Amino acid sequence: MADSSFDIVSKVERQEVDNALNQAAKELSQRYDFKGTGATIAWSGEKILMEANSEERVKAVLDVFETKLVKRGISLKALDAGEPQLSGKEYKIFATIEEGISQENAKKVAKIIRDEGPKGVKAQVQGEELRVSSKSRDDLQAVQALLKGKDLDFAIQFVNYR
């Protein structure tokens, strides 16, 4: 019998991020406490740009956006938001959506699987993802439960379970 396997990836559906951003922009345009503050949120190339006339307001814009992301099932670990910066009279926050597992994070996950996972489970790095394989599907499910219980500083998903 062939080995069973699954891949560990860190991907974010761009359309869901776009939907969350549009919902946040709509809420900013309708909420009373954002009237006349110049609070906006929009794509700026590959980054998300949030602007407002005070530091507290721009942080509130970020909070609204984070709420919308969570409602759409996107982990906040994938969002990398910078600190508010003063630009003229406006405060700005640039945020990026991080995708892919870096080599060092992939090695951390592989080490966790090796040290704490069931015996006979192999983990190998393949570009920006990690392939986990074993003869036993129960061992693979145990690895998934182990990783879900860990507090990693990046978002992971399990795909291609075979």
Side-chain angles (χ1 to χ4, degrees):
M1 187 176 110
D3 283 2
S4 299
S5 68
F6 67 87
D7 294 336
I8 300 173
V9 296
S10 182
K11 287 193 168 95
V12 175
E13 196 155 331
R14 174 80 179 211
Q15 186 60 50
E16 289 297 325
V17 175
D18 207 33
N19 290 344
L21 186 127
N22 291 335
Q23 286 178 337
K26 185 174 182 182
E27 184 170 322
L28 294 178
S29 69
Q30 293 175 344
R31 267 180 45 180
Y32 177 75
D33 56 337
F34 284 111
K35 292 274 191 247
T37 63
T40 60
I41 182 169
W43 286 106
S44 173
E46 284 296 307
K47 293 184 176 183
I48 298 163
L49 171 64
M50 293 161 261
E51 293 180 303
N53 63 3
S54 73
E55 190 172 348
E56 291 76 29
R57 285 274 184 255
V58 79
K59 285 181 178 177
V61 171
L62 177 61
D63 189 49
V64 167
F65 182 54
E66 287 176 344
T67 304
K68 299 300 179 190
L69 285 175
V70 168
K71 282 186 180 174
R72 293 199 117 353
I74 297 171
S75 172
L76 292 181
K77 292 178 182 178
L79 179 70
D80 181 24
E83 289 299 310
Q85 302 166 340
L86 183 60
S87 172
K89 292 183 179 177
E90 297 278 304
Y91 280 88
K92 296 181 178 186
I93 293 180
F94 284 99
T96 55
I97 302 295
E98 302 208 348
E99 291 191 295
I101 300 176
S102 69
Q103 288 291 326
E104 65 182 55
N105 285 339
K107 287 178 183 172
K108 281 184 203 170
V109 173
K111 183 170 175 23
I112 290 171
I113 292 170
R114 228 182 7 261
D115 294 348
E116 301 174 34
K119 298 287 178 232
V121 175
K122 295 186 289 288
Q124 60 197 74
V125 178
Q126 296 181 332
E128 292 190 336
E129 58 185 44
L130 193 70
R131 165 86 31 102
V132 179
S133 57
S134 172
K135 296 225 181 289
S136 164
R137 286 181 169 232
D138 291 342
D139 287 351
L140 292 180
Q141 289 175 336
V143 167
Q144 286 183 354
L146 170 73
L147 292 176
K148 284 178 184 173
K150 291 288 179 190
D151 186 27
L152 301 170
D153 54 352
F154 54 97
I156 59 171
Q157 294 84 33
F158 306 112
V159 296
N160 294 341
Y161 189 78
R162 16 183 132 90

